[in-house]
Amino acid sequence: MLSQSAIVLGILELDEGLSPDGPSFAPREASLVNPATFGAPIITEIVEGALAEAVIRGDATLEGTCVAAARRLVKRGASVIAGDCGFLMRHQDAISAAVDVPVITSSLLLIPTLLRQLAPAKKLAVLTADARHLSEDLLGIQDAEKRKRVVVGGVEDGVYMRNALARPFVRTDVDQIEREVGDRIERLRGEHPEIAMLLFECTGFPVVAKALRRKTGLPIYDITDLCKVTLAAVSAGSGNLNSGDKWNFCLTLA
């Protein structure tokens, strides 16, 4: 049982079509669902009907089930709620209005802040699982000049997306994810040499962020960075910090 004072990350999980009797996957290093990524307990709730293709496409009927799953997480003790797919950004407002804890459905929430970190002549590249469905409303940029500074690239034609859409879900090797995302970054930088920072929309990409930071020499942000900051803020407010606390108050990007 979780401690009453524990800071807990609750994750809205997609329905991957896995049987309870089927194979289970150990959390990967640096992944969103690995408690070691945050030094904090994690609890999850599957969003009913949230197949990857439905979430990416933007099925509006999922909003109610997202809200219901978020409420279950809060009831179980979640201090912060995150989404296991950046395309859940479409339901950010509805979920945050329904619960009394911070909600971070997507790393896309970081876009305004990241743009302000860069010189006006520099660009932010958003790497997504499927660029065909990363619509303007998800980017949330109203200013036309700022929009010109954001470029989007996806891996929708690769093995990673084919596996993600399979039923049941097929886990893609980390080396394959690194190749696909790394190749897309390289092509984007060739088209836009002004790119100075990267943002990973897809929650499957943090497992290769460290390697690609080394390879590209660029800052890379993802959903785990946003979770770390939010958990630290909630922890500070609860008075649970002490000299031995595992949470960092600044992002560790090395």
Side-chain angles (χ1 to χ4, degrees), residues 144-199:
E145 290 304 310
K146 289 180 180 178
R147 178 63 186 89
K148 291 177 184 177
R149 297 174 57 213
V150 177
V151 297
V152 177
V155 296
E156 55 271 6
D157 297 323
V159 173
Y160 177 80
M161 269 301 289
R162 184 163 67 248
N163 287 345
L165 296 176
R167 286 295 169 267
F169 168 83
V170 177
R171 198 182 208 192
T172 304
D173 291 341
V174 171
D175 289 346
Q176 180 68 28
I177 300 172
E178 184 179 336
R179 279 194 297 274
E180 291 188 19
V181 179
D183 288 349
R184 191 69 185 96
I185 292 171
E186 186 175 352
R187 294 200 305 274
L188 280 175
R189 294 181 80 182
E191 298 164 6
H192 304 274
E194 310 91 341
I195 290 173
M197 187 176 289
L198 306 171
L199 175 65

Side-chain angles (χ1 to χ4, degrees), residues 12-214:
L12 297 168
E13 281 200 302
L14 302 194
D15 184 351
E16 295 176 336
L18 297 173
S19 166
D21 301 323
S24 58
F25 301 111
R28 285 171 163 165
E29 182 180 355
S31 70
L32 175 65
V33 294
N34 190 337
T37 302
F38 310 105
I42 289 176
I43 58 176
T44 64
E45 283 283 342
I46 292 176
V47 178
E48 185 179 352
L51 304 177
E53 60 267 29
V55 175
I56 291 171
R57 189 177 65 247
D59 186 341
T61 65
L62 292 176
E63 193 155 283
T65 54
C66 284
V67 167
R71 286 173 171 160
R72 292 196 299 272
L73 286 170
V74 172
K75 189 173 182 179
R76 291 173 57 197
S79 313
V80 174
I81 293 175
D84 194 19
C85 176
F87 286 91
L88 288 173
M89 177 75 169
R90 293 187 177 96
H91 310 297
Q92 170 72 32
D93 291 346
I95 299 170
S96 59
V99 296
D100 291 326
V101 300
V103 175
I104 43 179
T105 55
S106 177
S107 64
L108 298 175
L109 291 164
L110 287 169
I111 289 176
T113 298
L114 299 186
L115 281 177
R116 295 188 71 176
Q117 291 183 17
L118 298 174
K122 299 298 184 180
K123 292 183 177 181
L124 169 69
V126 177
L127 277 297
T128 176
D130 192 335
R132 297 168 300 182
H133 296 285
L134 194 67
S135 50
E136 294 298 315
D137 60 312
L138 295 179
L139 296 176
I141 305 171
Q142 305 302 321
D143 184 277
E145 290 304 310
K146 289 180 180 178
R147 178 63 186 89
K148 291 177 184 177
R149 297 174 57 213
V150 177
V151 297
V152 177
V155 296
E156 55 271 6
D157 297 323
V159 173
Y160 177 80
M161 269 301 289
R162 184 163 67 248
N163 287 345
L165 296 176
R167 286 295 169 267
F169 168 83
V170 177
R171 198 182 208 192
T172 304
D173 291 341
V174 171
D175 289 346
Q176 180 68 28
I177 300 172
E178 184 179 336
R179 279 194 297 274
E180 291 188 19
V181 179
D183 288 349
R184 191 69 185 96
I185 292 171
E186 186 175 352
R187 294 200 305 274
L188 280 175
R189 294 181 80 182
E191 298 164 6
H192 304 274
E194 310 91 341
I195 290 173
M197 187 176 289
L198 306 171
L199 175 65
F200 287 168
E201 166 277 319
C202 182
T203 58
F205 294 173
V207 297
V208 299
K210 185 175 181 179
L212 290 175
R213 287 184 188 110
R214 288 197 300 264

